[in-house]
């Protein structure tokens, strides 16, 4: 399937889904005025990809510096989706990047991984 | 592609629950009521979640725009600070030039005295010589006349010599100090001798004020540093004492004490026994533009320049104190070779 690459805007993250390589990443800030415009395409692509990802090795990098509540809800939905497909046999690793001095972003990562039981979740501090 | 919905999963659960409720129509009343109230509670909870997400989205958007505004203001404030610093820098330069101007004025005044004395002595000698020459030509010269002339010659030449020597010495000192002030050159110099030269260049101001000046500096301390900076520091300390330290007519003592406690560095204590500095001024005394004499021409830069010179070229530190018994003390520590 086609890779998904969307440049970052002031209020939305850069999307880089390299499906062939099994490397997905979201990077930047996320506080869009219309969450569905930003996350709609992301979820659609993700759903299609994960549906056929059984047995594959997939790494998902989250490198976010700021997000609002809609984005947090979307992320939680996304994590649930990832955990389900990991349960179904996709070998999924999530890397949650946070700046070394950003305790808030680190704690968000800790919160989000609480409900994940099949995904390998790494908290990665970035200097 | 169905349109994206953040609460898709919750809505699906609600639909399933409604479905369950329909299929439970035959169930006993309490079961149906229980299911109905659970569905109602869950549906209210989802509605509230949506509302909460909207509310916090709005707050976070507000926060983001406040942050942007803050960033903009911060940049503006930093720009303003930059231009203030530039303005301050040019004022400091202007103040340095002004103090050089005052130095030149002092030099002129100081040299005027010995040169004036030498001039009138020379003129008196010329008159006496003309008179004795006249008597000699008329062959009317007595032993008394000649003896009187010889005494005059001895006195006037003595005075001319000592005053011209004094002027030459002053010019030498001034030249050194003025050159050092305008150039920021580093060189080796004897500390005690250099302080004496600096004091000599401030002679007119000091004599006018009438304070006693004491210098206690061991001989043979050689520094490899910036003498111009040191001279300006001492000059500013002294002018500070003269302008602020004493009430009009009050006479006091200014002292410079140099001690070498460890090899490689030197401690210079400048003190006056005047009125001292109020406690609440002490902490700001080195701040630029801090002055109690704005109206009468104080720039508030004198001690700031001291601070910059000491911490900059001289590579040392300076502190101000005002002891209980009165007076002001500046303690300057600096390396012999920064």
């Amino acid at each position: 399937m086609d890779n998904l690459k969307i440049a970052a805007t002031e209020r939305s993250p850069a999307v880089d889904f390299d499906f062939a390589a099994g490397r997905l990443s979201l990077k930047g800030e996320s506080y869009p005025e219309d969450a569905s415009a930003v996350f709609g395409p992301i979820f659609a692509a993700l759903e299609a990809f994960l549906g056929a990802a059984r047995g594959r090795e997939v790494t998902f990098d989250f490198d976010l510096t700021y997000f609002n509540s809609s984005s947090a809800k979307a992320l939680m939905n996304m994590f649930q989706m990832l955990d389900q497909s990991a349960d179904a046999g996709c070998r999924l690793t999530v890397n949650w990047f946070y700046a070394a001095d950003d305790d808030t972003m680190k704690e968000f990562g800790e919160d989000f991984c609480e409900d994940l039981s099949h995904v390998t979740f790494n908290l990665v501090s970035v200097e | 592609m169905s349109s994206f919905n953040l609460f898709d999963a919750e809505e699906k659960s609600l639909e399933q629950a409604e479905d369950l409720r329909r299929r439970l129509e035959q169930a006993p009343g309490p079961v149906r009521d229980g299911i109905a109230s659970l569905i109602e509670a869950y549906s209210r909870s989802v509605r509230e979640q949506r509302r909460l997400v909207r509310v916090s989205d709005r707050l976070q958007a507000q926060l983001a725009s406040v942050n942007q505004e803050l960033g903009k203001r911060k940049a503006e404030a930093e720009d303003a600070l930059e231009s203030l610093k530039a303005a301050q820098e040019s004022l400091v330069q202007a103040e340095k030039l002004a103090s050089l101007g005052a130095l030149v004025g002092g030099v002129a005044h100081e040299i005027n005295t010995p040169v004036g004395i030498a001039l009138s002595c020379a003129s008196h000698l010329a008159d006496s010589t003309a008179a004795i020459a006249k008597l000699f030509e008329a062959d009317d010269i007595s032993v008394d006349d000649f003896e009187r002339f010889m005494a005059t010659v001895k006195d006037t030449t003595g005075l001319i010599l000592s005053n011209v020597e004094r002027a030459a010495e002053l010019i030498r000192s001034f030249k050194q100090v003025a050159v050092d002030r305008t150039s920021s050159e580093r060189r080796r110099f004897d500390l005690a001798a250099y302080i004496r030269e600096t004091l000599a260049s401030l002679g007119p101001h000091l004599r006018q004020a009438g304070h006693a000046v004491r210098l206690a500096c061991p001989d043979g301390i050689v520094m490899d540093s910036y003498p111009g900076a040191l001279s300006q520091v001492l000059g500013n300390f002294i002018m500070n004492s003269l302008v602020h330290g004493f009430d009009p007519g009050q006479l006091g003592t200014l002292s410079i004490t140099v001690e070498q406690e460890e090899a490689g560095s030197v401690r210079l204590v400048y003190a006056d026994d005047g009125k001292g500095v109020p406690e609440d001024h002490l902490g700001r005394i080195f701040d630029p533009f801090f002055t109690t004499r704005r109206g009468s021409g104080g720039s508030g830069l004198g001690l700031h320049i001291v601070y910059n010179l000491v911490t900059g070229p001289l590579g040392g530190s300076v502190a101000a104190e005002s002891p209980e018994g009165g007076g002001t003390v500046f303690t300057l520590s600096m390396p012999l070779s920064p």
Side-chain angles (χ1 to χ4, degrees):
Chain A
M1 69 185 284
D2 285 344
N3 291 338
L4 182 67
K5 218 171 153 93
I6 303 170
T9 71
E10 196 189 340
R11 297 176 145 232
S12 66
V15 182
D16 188 0
F17 288 177
D18 183 346
F19 294 117
R23 273 214 90 100
L24 319 177
S25 112
L26 286 178
K27 187 175 167 69
E29 293 184 275
S30 180
Y31 52 109
E33 277 179 47
D34 181 4
S36 56
V38 171
F39 287 102
I42 294 176
F43 273 81
L46 212 49
E47 237 172 323
F49 170 67
L50 291 174
R54 181 185 302 252
R56 285 196 58 176
E57 189 130 346
V58 176
T59 305
F60 202 147
D61 292 333
F62 290 87
D63 190 352
L64 300 169
T65 48
Y66 180 77
F67 49 80
N68 66 358
S69 298
S70 294
S71 306
K73 174 67 172 129
L75 289 173
M76 288 188 276
N77 291 357
M78 202 178 294
F79 283 128
Q80 202 185 356
M81 189 194 266
L82 296 177
D83 206 44
Q84 278 163 2
S85 69
D87 189 25
C90 173
R91 280 172 294 146
L92 241 160
T93 302
V94 167
N95 296 316
W96 182 265
F97 295 95
Y98 63 92
D101 60 354
D102 190 350
D103 288 342
T104 310
M105 210 37 77
K106 181 183 182 213
E107 281 160 18
F108 281 141
E110 287 165 354
D111 285 343
F112 287 149
C113 78
E114 268 176 14
D115 276 342
L116 301 180
S117 33
H118 306 288
V119 163
T120 308
F121 194 95
N122 302 316
L123 281 167
V124 187
S125 161
V126 181
E127 284 301 332
Chain B
M1 183 178 99
S2 63
S3 80
F4 176 80
N5 178 356
L6 274 182
F7 289 88
D8 201 37
E10 288 80 355
E11 278 174 14
K12 282 198 178 107
S13 298
L14 265 174
E15 277 167 27
Q16 282 165 4
E18 288 292 348
D19 212 34
L20 181 66
R21 178 156 75 168
R22 277 192 290 278
R23 279 190 280 138
L24 282 175
E25 256 165 24
Q26 305 307 317
V31 173
R32 276 188 285 130
D33 289 351
I35 292 287
S37 72
L38 277 177
I39 290 173
E40 178 49 34
Y42 182 64
S43 135
R44 183 183 306 119
S45 165
V46 172
R47 283 200 303 276
E48 281 171 2
Q49 271 193 64
R50 283 181 187 280
R51 233 170 274 143
L52 283 174
V53 165
R54 274 201 304 274
V55 166
S56 42
D57 274 3
R58 237 174 272 142
L59 290 175
Q60 284 149 351
Q62 217 169 42
L63 188 69
S65 68
V66 167
N67 271 339
Q68 274 172 358
E69 183 66 15
L70 197 67
K72 215 173 79 190
R73 296 278 171 86
K74 190 170 164 239
E76 283 169 7
E78 273 164 2
D79 285 352
L81 185 66
E82 273 311 304
S83 46
L84 264 176
K85 273 186 184 158
Q88 185 181 323
E89 186 60 32
S90 68
L91 271 169
V92 166
Q93 289 305 329
E95 176 78 1
K96 278 186 186 169
L97 286 175
S99 85
L100 191 62
L103 180 75
V104 170
V107 169
H109 175 83
E110 185 74 348
I111 290 176
N112 209 28
T113 312
V115 168
I117 293 170
L119 194 61
S120 52
C121 286
S123 144
H124 181 49
L125 183 60
D127 290 350
S128 302
T129 308
I132 201 83
K134 214 170 176 181
L135 289 176
F136 177 70
E137 276 158 18
D139 203 12
D140 188 21
I141 192 163
S142 71
V143 171
D144 269 5
D145 287 335
F146 190 69
E147 275 177 356
R148 221 178 301 126
F149 174 68
M150 286 302 284
T152 305
V153 168
K154 198 172 163 235
D155 288 351
T156 51
T157 51
L159 275 168
I160 289 169
L161 262 179
S162 66
N163 278 283
V164 169
E165 263 166 19
R166 167 84 188 132
E169 187 201 323
L170 284 169
I171 288 169
R172 209 174 331 107
S173 298
F174 292 145
K175 205 172 138 193
Q176 193 57 63
V177 173
V179 163
D180 284 337
R181 282 212 188 175
T182 46
S183 76
S184 48
E185 242 167 77
R186 178 180 185 135
R187 65 179 176 88
R188 288 170 66 83
F189 58 97
D190 182 275
L191 184 57
Y194 196 73
I195 295 174
R196 277 194 287 274
E197 280 175 15
T198 300
L199 289 174
S201 74
L202 290 160
H205 296 288
L206 286 169
R207 262 195 308 285
Q208 203 181 357
H211 304 303
V213 180
R214 292 216 181 93
L215 170 63
C217 177
D219 282 321
I221 299 180
V222 176
M223 296 185 68
D224 179 6
S225 185
Y226 299 88
L230 184 62
S231 156
Q232 178 137 24
V233 165
L234 292 175
N236 288 10
F237 281 156
I238 287 169
M239 291 316 291
N240 200 60
S241 291
L242 298 188
V243 175
H244 302 281
F246 300 92
D247 286 320
Q250 186 191 0
L251 289 185
T253 305
L254 313 179
S255 71
I256 298 173
T257 312
V258 176
E259 286 167 348
Q260 197 172 14
E261 285 180 340
E262 50 191 290
S265 72
V266 75
R267 196 173 65 185
L268 186 154
V269 179
Y270 172 85
D272 70 38
D273 57 356
K275 292 184 289 181
V277 180
E279 182 74 36
D280 56 327
H281 289 175
L282 265 183
R284 298 162 62 200
I285 204 166
F286 295 117
D287 290 355
F289 310 116
F290 176 72
T291 178
T292 51
R293 297 275 170 124
R294 179 94 54 216
S296 46
S299 70
L301 285 171
L303 288 176
H304 179 62
I305 291 171
V306 165
Y307 183 83
N308 284 343
L309 291 173
V310 173
T311 57
L314 297 175
S317 62
V318 60
E321 293 166 80
S322 195
E324 282 289 316
T328 307
V329 181
F330 291 98
T331 305
L332 200 163
S333 302
M334 56 186 170
L336 291 180
S337 176

